[in-house]
Amino acid sequence: MQQLLTTALGGLTLGAVYAAFALALCLIWRSTRIVNFAQAPMAMITTYIALVIIDAGHSYWTGFAAALIGGLLLGAVVERVVVRPVEGKAEINAVILTLGLFILIHAVAGIVFGSRYRSFPAPFGVRGLTVGDTSIALTGFGVFTVVAVVVVMGLLVLLFRYTEVGLRMRAAAFNQEVARILGVKVGRMLTLGWALAALVGSLSGLLIAGGSLVHPAYMDSVVVYGFVAAVLGGLDSPVGSVIGGMLLGLSLSAVSGYLGSELVPLAALVILMAVLLLRPGGLFSHHAERRV
Amino acid sequence: MFEVRDLTTSYGPVRALDGVSFTAREGRVTAVLGANGAGKTTLLRTASGLVRPQRGQVLLEGRDITRTPAEDMARLGLAHVPEGRGVITELTVEENLRLGGLHRPARTRAADVERICRLFPVLGERHDATAHVLSGGERQMLVIGRALMAAPKVLLLDEPSLGLAPRIVAQIFGLLRSLVASDGLTVVLVEQNARSALSIADVGVVLNLGKVVVQDDAAALAADEKLRHAYLGF
Ligand SMILES: Nc1ncnc2c1ncn2[C@@H]1O[C@H](COP(=O)(O)OP(=O)(O)O)[C@@H](O)[C@H]1O
Ligand SMILES: [Mg+2]
């Protein structure tokens, strides 16, 4: 029982982080049909920004806010400077550019921040809470992680569903040409979409780093799990991505708890292959095929 | 009023429009007719800024809009209902309609949606449905309604009758006719279905291989048997 609870709670926390990362990938995919491989190092950079600010003596929350704002700006700049010039060309061009960006950001981070491990603070306890006299695997920071992801997802849903800019963004994502003739400035919407995606990516970077160690490659495995989560939920659906992230976190936590942590990457791969073979549009797709 | 002068557009080596000139007058329906590949769609896409012309001008109420970006056209009063309709099927009927009125003041948006739903009662009934579930005729009404949300001066329609039952076509064309009469709208109606189009048009322009073959009163075109056989297919 204790084991099950530990596994489930650990899975939820992990799942929330994958969910945030998957959501970031999904926001870009649905509007530009690009898988942004640079998402992980972009989140790594913004986490370092937070670390530098916190190490300079400012509060955790100042660093946290700076990282999110940094993500917003970084996303916008990447879309404008890197992706925009290949807009309208084959999508593979942009994907390869994001791979190039991956390598570039890594190199820059190694030079600027050094490649040693540095510890990153957490705003809440990372010890298990105690209920009565049993200690459970739920940590204060774990709760914060889940809440932060749920809040961000909720805000995005509100933005997309109930605001005019959200409507414009969705129109631009679904049909650029029709959006243009209706007066939507599609380029601006794409910039905004990348900015929001990078903000959510930054959040996942901060949540993984909290109470743990960061180094220039600390986010790289997350890009794999985040991608599996996004495919699991259907790359086109933000809500699906979040559910996919949660499911993946729970599954991998179970694999790690009951079978051994060395099997986790293998399990992720098996899940990815199973989804692509059985439901290429994701678990929640209505269409039989994903349009690629 | 809507006018094109010497409009010429190419796709690489293919010259799709070759020096096309005509005027669509206010409060009139101008039908642009011609076989598949005649350049009708290219004409509308060039006019609304989706494709750049090599030569020539597009004028809206006398103002040169030739190099205006497509996203500014709605604000200037030009609405384009594209070929294949352009319903955004992932959005609801109401969201599609709201997109039509983006540059109108936000406070009149709800009233505008209501006005369109009175015009097309089926849209009112399916207000919150995803546009995906609409039939072909309902989709056509939705895109026309969406274009009207912008309160345009000029409405460009690309083959609205395509794939629709004759009864639905008659209904939609009837509505168009009454809108033109009541709002003084300028309509450019692109059709392969020349017989239906000429039945509601005031004037017809016949295109062939990117050139204007003839332009005349709709009734005169419909009465010209040789022309009908050669270019209009009826
Ligand atoms: N995107 C395009 N690229 C290349 N050629 C095109 C394109 N669109 C249309 N054409 C060509 O331009 C000509 C006119 O096409 P179009 O304007 O679609 O005619 P219509 O709408 O009258 O059927 C045709 O020869 C067509 O093959
Ligand atoms: Mg056509």
Side-chain angles (χ1 to χ4, degrees):
Chain A
M1 185 59 211
Q2 178 111 2
Q3 165 85 356
L4 182 66
L5 196 65
T6 304
T7 306
L9 292 172
L12 271 185
T13 319
L14 201 59
V17 176
Y18 296 157
F21 201 84
L23 185 57
L25 291 176
C26 161
L27 288 178
I28 289 176
W29 169 264
R30 73 205 289 253
S31 59
T32 49
R33 303 281 133 182
I34 293 169
V35 175
N36 179 19
F37 285 104
Q39 193 82 72
M42 284 164 70
M44 175 268 293
I45 283 284
T46 55
T47 306
Y48 267 107
I49 292 175
L51 187 59
V52 167
I53 288 175
I54 295 166
D55 282 355
H58 298 281
S59 78
Y60 175 89
W61 297 112
T62 310
F64 188 87
L68 294 186
I69 293 167
L72 211 56
L73 296 176
L74 187 59
V77 169
V78 166
E79 196 276 327
R80 271 284 142 111
V81 176
V82 180
V83 179
R84 184 68 62 92
V86 295
E87 240 262 299
K89 311 246 167 58
E91 275 107 7
I92 190 74
N93 294 6
V95 174
I96 290 181
L97 274 178
T98 69
L99 275 172
L101 197 61
F102 181 103
I103 295 166
L104 180 74
I105 297 179
H106 259 285
V108 170
I111 294 165
V112 177
F113 303 113
S115 46
R116 72 199 162 81
Y117 286 78
R118 295 168 69 173
S119 76
F120 195 92
F124 302 104
V126 289
R127 289 257 174 74
L129 303 176
T130 46
V131 178
D133 50 0
T134 54
S135 117
I136 53 172
L138 189 64
T139 67
F141 190 68
V143 174
F144 171 66
T145 299
V146 174
V147 169
V149 172
V150 169
V151 166
V152 165
M153 191 186 74
L155 290 176
L156 283 177
V157 168
L158 292 179
L159 174 76
F160 283 128
R161 289 249 161 262
Y162 299 108
T163 70
E164 191 179 290
V165 68
L167 180 60
R168 286 171 193 254
M169 287 180 75
R170 282 188 293 151
F174 293 132
N175 194 329
Q176 291 201 4
E177 188 168 292
V178 168
R180 280 183 76 203
I181 59 180
L182 294 173
V184 175
K185 299 215 164 16
V186 171
R188 273 190 214 167
M189 295 303 122
L190 294 184
T191 307
L192 185 56
W194 275 74
L196 287 175
L199 175 132
V200 179
S202 300
L203 177 70
S204 77
L206 289 165
L207 294 175
I208 290 176
S212 172
L213 299 169
V214 297
H215 60 100
Y218 89 100
M219 281 297 287
D220 292 356
S221 63
V222 182
V223 81
V224 178
Y225 297 133
F227 182 69
V228 176
V231 171
L232 190 63
L235 265 170
D236 271 320
S237 151
V239 174
S241 304
V242 170
I243 298 174
M246 290 296 184
L247 287 178
L248 185 71
L250 288 170
S251 320
L252 295 186
S253 178
V255 168
S256 160
Y258 291 103
L259 300 175
S261 59
E262 68 282 2
L263 290 177
V264 165
L266 185 65
L269 201 65
V270 169
I271 292 174
L272 179 63
M273 285 174 57
V275 172
L276 288 179
L277 286 174
L278 302 176
R279 294 205 59 122
L283 294 181
F284 314 105
S285 70
H286 307 290
H287 314 288
E289 295 284 316
R290 176 149 34 89
R291 83 191 152 94
V292 177
Chain B
M1 199 176 81
F2 172 83
E3 186 180 354
V4 298
R5 286 188 194 150
D6 191 28
L7 206 59
T8 301
T9 304
S10 298
Y11 302 102
V14 180
R15 178 161 287 193
L17 274 190
D18 195 355
V20 170
S21 304
F22 71 89
T23 302
R25 304 217 341 254
E26 205 167 302
R28 301 285 158 85
V29 175
T30 303
V32 176
L33 310 169
N36 198 4
K40 307 181 297 298
T41 296
T42 304
L43 169 68
L44 296 196
R45 291 174 61 80
T46 308
S48 67
L50 291 170
V51 180
R52 290 256 157 271
Q54 284 171 303
R55 220 177 50 222
Q57 290 165 323
V58 182
L59 298 123
L60 179 70
E61 317 257 272
R63 169 180 180 169
D64 189 339
I65 57 162
T66 317
R67 312 262 156 216
T68 306
E71 53 263 41
D72 294 336
M73 293 296 186
R75 197 168 36 78
L76 295 175
L78 183 78
H80 178 185
V81 175
E83 192 174 37
R85 313 218 164 92
V87 166
I88 301 185
T89 52
E90 292 90 343
L91 302 179
T92 66
V93 169
E94 194 201 340
E95 285 168 340
N96 267 284
L97 288 176
R98 272 175 31 215
L99 276 172
L102 285 178
H103 64 278
R104 308 265 299 160
R107 66 200 147 68
T108 64
R109 194 77 41 84
D112 285 343
V113 170
E114 237 172 74
R115 181 172 56 90
I116 300 300
C117 289
R118 267 201 306 279
L119 215 51
F120 300 100
V122 279
L123 298 182
E125 288 157 26
R126 322 200 71 172
H127 205 251
D128 295 319
T130 310
H132 182 71
V133 305
L134 298 186
S135 70
E138 289 164 346
R139 288 183 190 205
Q140 191 58 53
M141 293 180 200
L142 176 55
V143 284
I144 293 176
R146 188 175 67 188
L148 295 174
M149 282 287 293
K153 298 180 192 118
V154 174
L155 178 61
L156 310 178
L157 294 168
D158 199 341
E159 307 236 19
S161 77
L162 202 69
L164 299 185
R167 188 174 50 83
I168 309 284
V169 174
Q171 186 190 348
I172 290 175
F173 279 8
L175 238 149
L176 265 179
R177 195 66 256 181
S178 66
L179 278 170
V180 169
S182 63
D183 298 6
L185 200 59
T186 306
V187 173
V188 178
L189 172 65
V190 156
E191 272 292 351
Q192 247 187 91
N193 181 352
R195 189 202 296 266
S196 300
L198 286 177
S199 74
I200 68 150
D202 302 286
V203 183
V205 177
V206 179
L207 283 186
N208 186 45
L209 299 177
K211 290 190 166 115
V212 175
V213 184
V214 57
Q215 45 186 322
D216 206 341
D217 285 345
L221 292 179
D224 185 336
E225 199 165 333
K226 264 213 327 255
L227 181 86
R228 265 173 27 203
H229 289 319
Y231 298 110
L232 303 181
F234 75 98

